[in-house]
Amino acid sequence: MGEEDERLCDARYIRALLARHGFHFSRARGQNFLTADWVPRAIVQCAGLDGTQDVFEVGPGLGALTRPLARAARRVVAAEVDVSLRPVLAETLAGLDNVDVLWADVLTLDLPALAAAHFPGGRPVVCANLPYAVTTPVLTRLLGSGLFAALTVMVQKEVAQRLCAAPGTPAYGAFSVYVGVHARPTIAFDVPPDAFLPRPRVTSSVVHMVCQKRPLRCEAVFFRLVRAAFGQRRKTLLNALSSALPLPKEELSALIASCGIAPSARGETLGIPEFESLADAYEKNGDGHNDL
Ligand code: SAM
């Protein structure tokens, strides 16, 4: 570990650096910077970087994770939305010739164009300490792009539990299903609030996701059913789906039963294969009602 890497995780050094650049933390942008140097090391290890991978980092901040990534990867492209960090990163990443910073919002960045320009022919991995306010839309975009081989990301612990939740558990929801369709997620380790400046109120977790898209025969119908089932998760599957789908209740009940699922079951107990059977049956037997 380099001296600069350690300094970048030192709260006193960070305060002085930011004061020198007249920088003020933005809570809206989820700016909780790492102050525990074991965390970037553990993220690099969890991502399995061995000098051959290309990395896309979201939100480099002061570069506390970017520097160790740059030493462990072939190259790093990092997207940072806050241009007031430009002079800070120019200083903290000086001398690293395999890092490019894009001053861009990851929520609107053209990811296929980014991949074509920076990672031609490759399948980069994502490593990031994500801005918590936009975790779900950022992960939805990254996973949905199909461009990445794996994601190793720090998120709030309760979000990590949702990403990895199994059917029938309280944390299981529509986003668990979305993630499960695109990747195999595991929680790697927790990070306490005192590992950040400013200190967040919640514990964080690092999640590792190996991207592997499950091919769905009727993807639009599948996700429509998932949204309907979890939109009213206290209702039975029959009631939740009947208020979202243009199908008479008796037909819907028969359709659910034809998939071996009790119409009185709750949507939150269904796994991906059950939603897939329902989507297939709905697509086949919708009788012209399934104009999604
Ligand atoms: N990687 C640094 C670290 O671990 O110390 C900073 C992580 S901080 C939790 C999140 C970073 O993401 C901040 O630098 C913030 O400015 C940046 N950010 C927030 N929203 C963003 C967005 N939509 N696109 C790109 N970067 C964003």
Side-chain angles (χ1 to χ4, degrees), residues 29-34 57 59-61 79-81 104-106 129-131:
R29 289 188 164 141
Q31 289 175 340
N32 299 97
F33 299 134
L34 278 166
E57 184 190 6
E80 173 56 64
V81 74
D105 183 338
V106 72
N129 170 11
L130 288 177

Side-chain angles (χ1 to χ4, degrees), residues 23 87 94 139 184:
F23 176 86
L139 288 178
R184 282 180 285 112

Side-chain angles (χ1 to χ4, degrees), residues 89-221:
L89 278 177
E91 180 179 326
T92 60
L93 301 182
L96 294 175
D97 57 10
N98 63 341
V99 179
D100 284 307
V101 178
L102 309 177
W103 297 97
D105 183 338
V106 72
L107 292 172
T108 52
L109 191 59
D110 183 341
L111 293 174
L114 165 110
H118 294 273
F119 309 116
R123 244 186 134 219
V125 300
V126 172
C127 293
N129 170 11
L130 288 177
Y132 290 170
V134 288
T135 301
T136 304
V138 169
L139 288 178
T140 302
R141 285 202 95 211
L142 295 175
L143 288 168
S145 75
L147 293 167
F148 302 102
L151 276 58
T152 306
V153 291
M154 179 139 55
V155 299
Q156 284 185 36
K157 183 174 178 156
E158 65 162 35
V159 175
Q161 288 166 338
R162 273 196 261 139
L163 299 181
C164 302
T169 61
Y172 186 62
F175 198 50
S176 323
V177 176
Y178 182 82
V179 172
V181 164
H182 290 88
R184 282 180 285 112
T186 46
I187 296 182
F189 57 91
D190 289 347
V191 180
D194 63 11
F196 303 90
L197 183 76
R199 199 176 184 279
R201 273 192 293 266
V202 294
T203 296
S204 304
S205 301
V206 170
V207 179
H208 181 65
M209 297 180 234
V210 178
C211 299
Q212 196 173 52
K213 174 85 196 288
R214 184 185 173 106
L216 297 172
R217 283 173 296 274
C218 316
E219 187 156 334
V221 180

